[in-house]
Amino acid sequence: MRLGSVFLLVCLSVFLLEFVDCQDVTAAKSKKRNADKKGRPTNKRHKSKPKVKKVTVKKPARFGIMTQLLERGRFQKPSDSLVIPAGETLVLRCRGDHISWTYPSYLDEENDGRFSISHQERFSQLTVVNSTGADTGEYSCWALDCDSETCRKVDSKTGSTYVFFSDPRELFVPANDYYEAIQLRTDRPTRLPCQVTNPLAKVSLHREFPPEVIPVDGRLITFDVKKGFIIHKALPLFGGTLYCVASYQGLMQSSTKYLLIFINYPSAPPSATITASSRSVLAGANFNLTCTVVGETNIEVDFTWEFPGQQLGRPTYTVESQHPVFPGGKIARSSQSILLVDEARPVDDGLYTCTAQNLQGSTTVSTQVKVLPQRGPGQA
């Protein structure tokens, strides 16, 4: 090898060694600077992100106190109304240690084993087997808070459903009577219980004589598939014999006939007043007492009296009358009963009481009458 080539290789080796040492020193200094930076305090604030812990909240199942048994032993909360074909079984459960039930009263009259209620430790179960259209109605339950002596209803825990047991042969819930008398009272709505077994049946209201269909305008008369027809304002023209007609899938049936008796019912008990012709009378003189009621027109009021001589058989003379009056410009009816007492005696001294009564109740008013002895000759 030539001397020049050897010299060149030596120089190149020395250069490479120096370059590597330089790189190592530079890297060491860089690490030191980074370490110094990490160790120095800084004024820059870093917002630390809080750790969010995911919590899964299990929402309680929205079951009420009442559940219905479905196939395969499954239970679920029933809807406001159920439609079950007649012949099938209804099973309802209500959760609670003490449970009370309401159901169609017809089931209490049956004694053939189709209906039962069993109470368990944590629930009560109602069962209807071999159901019929007559079982249609509302089924309700509620929890009872019981101590050693009494039980009270827990209003916040109730369950209810209306069950239609649809029967292709019976569109109306069967009734015990062919005719049913119902008071058509002016003080409250009147219900004609034309209950159907199928909510899809179309129902109309009819008059027996003269034969006609009574229009259901949604104001004076409405229809509720769970309750029947509601007459909201009693009028004399609605009186008489009415019945309902239901139709479904080509079948048409009539309901029980309802005899509506119109009664002009008072809105309140009578307000009575009593006055005496004289608060004190001489023995042997005649006097009278008047009991007066001012109230609604066409409202009958009955009067009865109690007086001191009644127990001793003193004869009673009463006169009753009615006539229109116009208090405040409005027409009203004044009813009066006048008790006549002839030839006052000491036994007639005392308390006189009048009781006025109408269909809503009664009112009692009283007043005292003093019987004075007759003045002798020469007395002033």
Side-chain angles (χ1 to χ4, degrees), residues 252-273:
M252 182 176 292
Q253 290 181 341
S254 298
S255 71
T256 293
K257 293 184 178 180
Y258 303 100
L259 177 61
L260 271 63
I261 304 172
F262 178 79
I263 300 177
N264 194 6
Y265 222 84
S267 60
S271 178
T273 59

Side-chain angles (χ1 to χ4, degrees), residues 26 42 106 144 187 199 241 278 362:
T26 303
T42 178
Y106 163 82
L144 298 175
D187 67 324
T241 301
S278 179
S362 61

